[in-house]
Amino acid sequence: QPLGHVDFYPNSGTHMPGCKLTFEEALEMENGSVVDGMRLFVGCNHMRGIDYFIESINSPCPFLAFECSNYAEYTRGGCGSCGQRGEKCGRMGYHAKEAWKPDFYQGESRKFYLLTGRRHPYCRVTHMVTVVVADHQISDDHEDGVGRFYITLHGSRGSSSSSRLGEEYAHHFSRIFSQV
């Protein structure tokens, strides 16, 4: 439930990645420490917030969260923009005070969502991928009928090399698009 002017919901705020562990897995993740393993096994979802906060203090990764009305809309990609002045994004953790922007506060709690990893380092960078598929006429003109998907990531530090998605993904996309 929203409590403050700014509320962060990593992974929807309910189940944190890496927290569905057996006791043996928890011990292994904590290098055999019984105390830390028990903490991870019993209270992982709640205790993970402490881990996120500690990592956020000096992390080069910003724990960037996006303002959104709910988690479902966030995971559908409906809230992937920070806005023209960065007003729709905020850093979770130690730097969360930067997300409190009185100019944009209109009396309601602001809800921010982000995804994290299952183990340290927990911070992840969100990427939005848009796939543009040719219309039916262009698709029919190609002989083999099945295209190939390549991905290149572009960011402030440059671009990655182009990588072809594996056949298992190409067939999956073909099934999805043939149903549309």
Side-chain angles (χ1 to χ4, degrees):
Q1 295 295 320
L3 296 174
H5 295 307
V6 178
D7 292 292
F8 291 91
Y9 298 93
N11 313 299
S12 81
T14 55
H15 300 290
M16 301 303 115
C19 284
K20 275 189 159 182
L21 303 171
T22 65
F23 184 65
E24 291 79 19
E25 291 170 327
L27 279 175
E28 183 180 322
M29 283 186 72
E30 295 298 335
N31 298 319
S33 167
V34 175
V35 173
D36 290 339
M38 183 61 79
R39 176 186 69 92
L40 184 61
F41 178 69
V42 173
C44 183
N45 286 303
H46 292 287
M47 299 302 289
R48 192 53 62 89
I50 295 169
D51 296 329
Y52 296 158
F53 185 84
I54 291 169
E55 184 178 319
S56 74
I57 294 170
N58 292 318
S59 176
C61 185
F63 278 96
L64 190 64
F66 296 85
E67 185 173 17
C68 209
S69 60
N70 59 61
Y71 187 67
E73 181 67 16
Y74 169 72
T75 57
R76 279 195 301 271
C79 310
S81 169
C82 286
Q84 291 181 340
R85 297 178 290 165
E87 71 274 11
K88 294 183 180 183
C89 287
R91 293 176 70 181
M92 182 182 78
Y94 180 75
H95 303 282
K97 65 184 179 284
E98 297 169 12
W100 167 240
K101 298 175 174 111
D103 293 349
F104 305 113
Y105 180 67
Q106 298 178 6
E108 292 184 19
S109 176
R110 299 178 71 205
K111 295 188 259 183
F112 289 85
Y113 295 88
L114 71 156
L115 298 175
T116 64
R118 61 180 313 229
R119 59 177 50 178
H120 179 76
Y122 298 106
C123 186
R124 298 292 184 262
V125 177
T126 302
H127 298 281
M128 182 179 292
V129 177
T130 303
V131 177
V132 178
V133 181
D135 64 26
H136 292 290
Q137 180 60 43
I138 293 173
S139 296
D140 290 342
D141 292 342
H142 294 284
E143 293 177 22
D144 59 4
V146 176
R148 292 182 176 86
F149 287 95
Y150 292 85
I151 187 167
T152 304
L153 301 177
H154 304 280
S156 60
R157 295 183 180 174
S159 300
S160 70
S161 60
S162 181
S163 299
R164 181 175 177 216
L165 295 180
E167 288 296 320
E168 67 277 10
Y169 297 113
H171 292 299
H172 177 69
F173 283 126
S174 295
R175 274 186 275 132
I176 290 171
F177 294 129
S178 65
Q179 295 171 1
V180 175

